[in-house]
Amino acid sequence: MISDDTLARLADVIEARRGGDPDKSYVARLFRKGPDAMLKKIGEEATEVVLAAKDASHGANADKLVGEVADLWFHSMIVLAAYGLRPADVLAELQRREGLSGLEEFALRKASEREQGDPQ
C-alpha cells in the first residue's frame, strides 16, 4: 500500500541527492541550475498533465495521465525541497482544508489576505 511514507522517503532521496554530482544525478543537476530551471520544469510537466488528461477524456490510456502526474509531483517535491519544505507541509495544508468546500476555502483565504494587506 502506498502511503504518506512514500512521499517522505522520496523527499529524503531528493534531499540526499541535491548536493550530489550533477553529471550523475538529475536532482543535483536541477539544484545546480537553480530555481528558474526547476520552475520551468514544473510548467512543462503541468502542460504534459493537461495533454494527458485531455487524451484520457477521449478514451486513451489513463496510465499516461498517472505517469505525468507522478512527474509533476516529483518536480514539485524538488521545488519544495529547494525552499526547505517537505510533502508533510502540503499534506498538513490539505488536511487543514479537509471538510471545507472549495468556495469556503477560497473565501477564507481571500479574507486572510485582506487582513494581512496582501492584494491578490
Side-chain angles (χ1 to χ4, degrees):
M1 179 174 154
I2 298 194
S3 68
D4 300 351
D5 293 342
T6 302
L7 295 175
R9 284 192 308 273
L10 180 55
D12 291 341
V13 169
I14 289 169
E15 196 59 42
R17 292 183 182 168
R18 86 185 275 173
D21 181 350
D23 292 330
K24 296 180 182 175
S25 168
Y26 175 73
V27 170
R29 186 177 305 150
L30 275 178
F31 273 99
R32 175 74 52 92
K33 288 181 177 180
D36 285 348
M38 294 174 198
L39 297 173
K40 180 180 177 188
K41 193 64 183 166
I42 286 183
E44 292 169 4
E45 296 300 340
T47 298
E48 291 174 9
V49 167
V50 170
L51 295 173
K54 290 189 82 51
D55 288 346
S57 71
H58 294 100
N61 192 341
D63 290 344
K64 173 100 171 131
L65 176 57
V66 170
E68 295 300 345
V69 170
D71 290 346
L72 179 60
W73 284 15
F74 174 76
H75 288 89
S76 295
M77 289 177 64
I78 290 173
V79 170
L80 286 172
Y83 292 95
L85 299 166
R86 298 205 30 112
D89 297 307
V90 176
L91 293 172
E93 176 61 14
L94 290 171
Q95 185 176 25
R96 184 191 68 78
R97 294 179 185 187
E98 190 174 5
L100 289 176
S101 78
L103 295 176
E104 289 172 318
E105 194 281 326
F106 181 76
L108 289 172
R109 191 167 7 112
K110 288 307 224 178
S112 175
E113 289 169 359
R114 279 193 298 276
E115 288 175 9
Q116 296 174 4
D118 184 13
Q120 278 192 350

